């Protein structure tokens, strides 16, 4: 969706997965249509490290879902999910994650939220580093973290840096939302 006036601020309401986030904005074409996962409809590009096969994960774009689903990588070090906003830039002020639907365990504990601006999204900068963060605990649990970034980014990555709550390397998520100043077209 096109932005008028050069930018728009998206503020977290205090309720996880509210309708004030940037992912929701893209998924509703700026509020002009019913929700559709912007990773499934091609508005945003979502990539990941290899996904679980048995039992199968939903595609990586499942992390943009509005529902609790099974989206999980294979148990490998350096697992990640990347969201590419293309020609748009976001100066983030908060972001929300949701744990997946399969188990109360396997919740992410050690990860970085990273941002990048290069065309191939290979030059990542740490926006926030999480170590032994227990905020996500149980099927479908959610949490929002405040951010104080002075920079805008084209792409964001959830990059696992240590084992999850079950001592494994699975990166299990079923929701990502981001807030802040959106600019570009």
């Amino acid at each position: 969706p096109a932005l008028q006036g050069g930018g728009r601020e998206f503020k977290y309401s205090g309720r996880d997965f509210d309708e004030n986030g940037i992912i929701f904005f893209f998924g509703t074409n700026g509020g002009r249509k019913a929700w559709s996962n912007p990773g499934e409809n091609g508005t945003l590009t979502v990539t990941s490290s290899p996904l679980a096969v048995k039992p199968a994960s939903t595609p990586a774009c499942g992390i943009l879902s509005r529902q609790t689903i099974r989206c999980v990588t294979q148990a490998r070090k350096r697992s990640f999910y990347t969201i590419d906003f293309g020609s748009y830039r976001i100066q983030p002020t908060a972001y929300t994650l949701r744990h997946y639907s399969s188990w109360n365990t396997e919740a992410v504990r050690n990860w970085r939220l990273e941002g990048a601006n290069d065309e191939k999204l290979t030059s990542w900068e740490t926006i926030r580093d999480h170590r032994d963060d227990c905020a996500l605990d149980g099927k479908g649990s959610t949490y929002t973290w405040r951010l104080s970034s002075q920079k805008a980014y084209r792409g964001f990555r959830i990059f696992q840096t240590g084992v999850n709550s079950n001592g494994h390397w699975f990166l299990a998520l079923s929701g990502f939302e981001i807030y802040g100043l959106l600019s570009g077209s």
Side-chain angles (χ1 to χ4, degrees):
L3 293 178
Q4 298 179 7
R8 178 174 169 185
E9 187 174 6
F10 293 79
K11 293 182 179 180
Y12 174 60
S13 70
R15 184 176 55 87
D16 293 351
F17 292 97
D18 57 19
E19 296 183 357
N20 298 342
I22 294 170
I23 300 297
F24 188 81
F25 176 79
F26 280 103
T28 60
N29 195 24
R32 293 189 290 274
K33 64 176 193 139
W35 165 261
S36 172
N37 184 319
E40 289 177 354
N41 68 28
T43 305
L44 302 177
T45 303
V46 181
T47 57
S48 70
S49 51
L51 296 169
V53 178
K54 291 183 180 180
S57 171
T58 60
C61 63
I63 67 162
L64 302 184
S65 179
R66 300 292 289 175
Q67 317 206 323
T68 304
I69 59 171
R70 179 180 167 76
C71 192
V72 58
T73 67
Q74 293 178 10
R76 296 183 180 182
K77 291 182 179 180
R78 306 176 60 82
S79 290
F80 66 88
Y81 292 100
T82 300
I83 302 101
D84 185 353
F85 288 85
S87 62
Y88 294 91
R89 300 293 179 271
I90 299 167
Q91 182 179 347
T93 57
Y95 81 108
T96 306
L97 293 179
R98 180 187 301 114
H99 187 46
Y100 79 157
S101 64
S102 298
W103 305 100
N104 286 325
T105 61
E106 310 295 359
V108 65
R109 291 290 181 259
N110 301 284
W111 76 97
R112 291 191 302 257
L113 174 67
E114 300 174 323
N117 281 314
D118 57 307
E119 185 176 336
K120 295 189 180 198
L121 298 180
T122 57
S123 298
W124 295 101
E125 300 173 7
T126 299
I127 300 169
R128 182 163 181 156
D129 190 16
H130 299 263
R131 295 177 191 202
D132 296 319
D133 188 323
C134 296
L136 297 179
D137 191 24
K139 292 181 188 180
S141 61
T142 65
Y143 195 84
T144 299
W145 295 268
R146 302 287 182 166
L147 303 168
S148 58
S149 176
Q150 300 303 309
K151 191 169 180 180
Y153 299 95
R154 166 192 171 167
F156 294 88
R157 179 168 76 167
I158 305 298
F159 184 83
Q160 191 172 18
T161 58
V163 295
N164 64 28
S165 65
N166 205 27
H168 298 142
W169 285 94
F170 295 107
L171 179 54
L173 297 172
S174 69
F176 174 87
E177 183 58 271
I178 194 159
Y179 303 86
L181 182 60
L182 174 67
S183 59
S185 59

